Amino acid sequence: MVLVLLRVSFLENVCKSRRHGRQSKMAARNPGTELDLEWVESVRVNKPACFRRAEELKVRRGVKKNTQIAWLLKAMTCIDLTTLSGDDTETNVGRLCFKAKQPMRPDLLEAVGMQDRGLTVGAVCVYPARVADAVQTLKALGASHIPVASVATGFPAGQTHFKTRLAEIKMAVEDGAREIDIVINRAYALAGNWKGVYEEVRAFREACGPAHMKTILATGELGSLVTVYKASLVAMMAGSDFIKTSTGKEGVNAILPVGLVMVRAIREYHKKTGYRVGFKPAGGIRTAKDSCAWLALMKEELGNDWLTPDLFRLGASSLLGDIERQIFHGVTGRYAAAHEFAMA
């Protein structure tokens, strides 16, 4: 095996937060603001410019060799390792938790000089009914510092009764979820009822209590980039700790033009209020190359302060397998067979 010793400052901030139980930026939450409809209605988006910029990020921001390994390790630490299937069981959720604690083969981490950094994924994300299983497994593994995230509020459609959506959040938090991924009312957003969106998300934030709230905009169902920008602002005004592109169940999920609009809304919100809000693209992110494009977006549009799992997550189920394969290739010079990894 070719040894590639890698001590990269790009990873230092996240490694530090891991060693100290994730107590860095997670302590500073977005409290939200009053709903400012004048601000919301003033939004304009240059669609052709957005698509040109997105294409530039995808095509021209390639990273190679040791730098690529560093970026892929960074992406690994920002993954919300997810299972949202109808056949989820205690067993496969437990298996996911094992992978969350040890996301990379130990020999690969040793080869790149990261064996003593305690690198894990950003969180484990499951349905509310599986939260207790994930919490118990992580505790048994000595990995309680890895947060359990739960989708809630009638995920993915959000078409259940409002009281039911609130109750689902509270039960997930009671079972140990430290992060809640909620979905907005798309009917309100499509009708321009921003007061309705704001009031629901604000109520969800209150129901989350100490748990951080990620607000899923379901951008593939919002119809335009202008609506995406407006929904982003309203969600942040309502107190979202993160805004998230998709449920992963829409026809179009995380794409760079939509991500660009959302992170620029985050930048504008931070400039006006001083509050940092995180960003989570989710759905359709499967390759290591995809993850590097999203990292480039964050680095160039929001800066290094957002390049930690406290402010950036990648919602994915299969991405980790490709990252591990690419790092294996960088270390050994060959691509691995499927049986050489514990979990694809």
Side-chain angles (χ1 to χ4, degrees):
M1 180 174 286
V2 179
L3 295 183
V4 185
L5 295 178
L6 187 68
R7 296 287 184 178
V8 184
S9 60
F10 193 46
L11 288 163
E12 287 299 326
N13 51 358
V14 64
C15 293
K16 183 177 180 181
S17 69
R18 288 281 183 253
R19 287 193 297 268
H20 291 85
R22 300 178 54 83
Q23 296 301 312
S24 56
K25 292 186 180 68
M26 292 298 274
R29 300 185 66 182
N30 168 37
T33 66
E34 294 295 322
L35 177 63
D36 186 342
L37 287 175
E38 184 177 352
W39 182 6
V40 174
E41 295 302 337
S42 70
V43 165
R44 300 291 183 272
V45 174
N46 185 330
K47 183 177 177 179
C50 282
F51 276 83
R52 284 196 302 271
R53 173 69 173 129
E55 190 63 25
E56 180 185 65
L57 285 163
K58 184 169 63 175
V59 174
R60 300 181 185 175
R61 294 297 186 272
V63 288
K64 302 295 183 183
K65 298 183 179 179
N66 281 14
T67 303
Q68 183 184 53
I69 292 174
W71 278 57
L72 294 181
L73 288 172
K74 168 63 74 173
M76 180 188 79
T77 66
C78 295
I79 292 174
D80 278 5
L81 196 58
T82 302
T83 182
L84 297 172
S85 300
D87 59 355
D88 282 341
T89 64
E90 181 180 352
T91 300
N92 75 298
V93 168
R95 186 166 175 251
L96 197 75
C97 292
F98 275 88
K99 189 63 176 175
K101 183 188 178 185
Q102 183 65 66
M104 191 72 54
R105 277 179 28 175
D107 59 322
L108 296 180
L109 288 176
E110 184 175 359
V112 298
M114 288 289 170
Q115 70 277 8
D116 59 347
R117 299 305 182 95
L119 299 184
T120 69
V121 299
V124 171
C125 184
V126 295
Y127 275 120
R130 301 263 71 94
V131 167
D133 296 336
V135 170
Q136 290 166 11
T137 302
L138 290 170
K139 183 178 180 181
L141 292 172
S144 294
H145 58 285
I146 302 173
V148 173
S150 177
V151 296
T153 63
F155 177 94
Q159 294 283 7
T160 53
H161 194 285
F162 180 66
K163 291 181 180 178
T164 303
R165 285 179 278 158
L166 286 176
E168 190 174 40
I169 292 172
K170 293 174 182 177
M171 288 187 288
V173 174
E174 287 172 3
D175 283 347
R178 303 219 307 266
E179 300 175 7
I180 301 292
D181 290 31
I182 65 110
V183 291
I184 67 166
N185 187 321
R186 275 83 97 191
Y188 281 169
L190 290 168
N193 181 4
W194 298 116
K195 185 174 185 290
V197 174
Y198 176 87
E199 289 177 347
E200 282 200 352
V201 176
R202 196 73 179 167
F204 296 155
R205 165 65 192 270
E206 184 177 351
C208 284
H212 283 64
M213 184 175 76
K214 305 195 206 81
T215 298
I216 306 170
L217 305 184
T219 55
E221 297 175 349
L222 292 187
S224 73
L225 294 179
V226 170
T227 305
V228 170
Y229 202 122
K230 290 179 177 181
S232 300
L233 288 178
V234 172
M236 291 186 285
M237 291 175 188
S240 302
D241 296 296
F242 271 71
I243 53 174
K244 176 179 170 182
T245 59
S246 319
T247 64
K249 311 296 185 182
E250 296 99 73
V252 177
N253 292 292
I255 58 174
L256 284 169
V258 164
L260 180 65
V261 166
M262 292 175 68
V263 299
R264 287 188 173 175
I266 289 171
R267 190 170 67 193
E268 182 181 3
Y269 183 80
H270 177 248
K271 183 178 179 180
K272 288 195 175 185
T273 69
Y275 302 131
R276 285 187 171 94
V277 174
F279 175 62
K280 178 179 174 180
I285 303 173
R286 297 184 178 89
T287 68
K289 184 177 180 180
D290 290 340
S291 70
C292 288
W294 288 104
L295 283 170
L297 172 69
M298 298 302 289
K299 183 176 178 63
E300 295 188 13
E301 294 290 332
L302 292 174
N304 288 341
D305 285 349
W306 265 264
L307 284 173
T308 79
D310 298 329
L311 289 169
F312 177 59
R313 297 288 180 81
L314 291 157
S317 55
S318 59
L319 171 63
L320 181 57
D322 193 55
I323 287 176
E324 193 169 18
R325 280 188 288 272
Q326 295 302 323
I327 291 178
F328 182 96
H329 179 266
V331 168
T332 67
R334 68 178 180 85
Y335 285 105
H339 70 270
E340 294 184 82
F341 294 118
M343 179 179 178

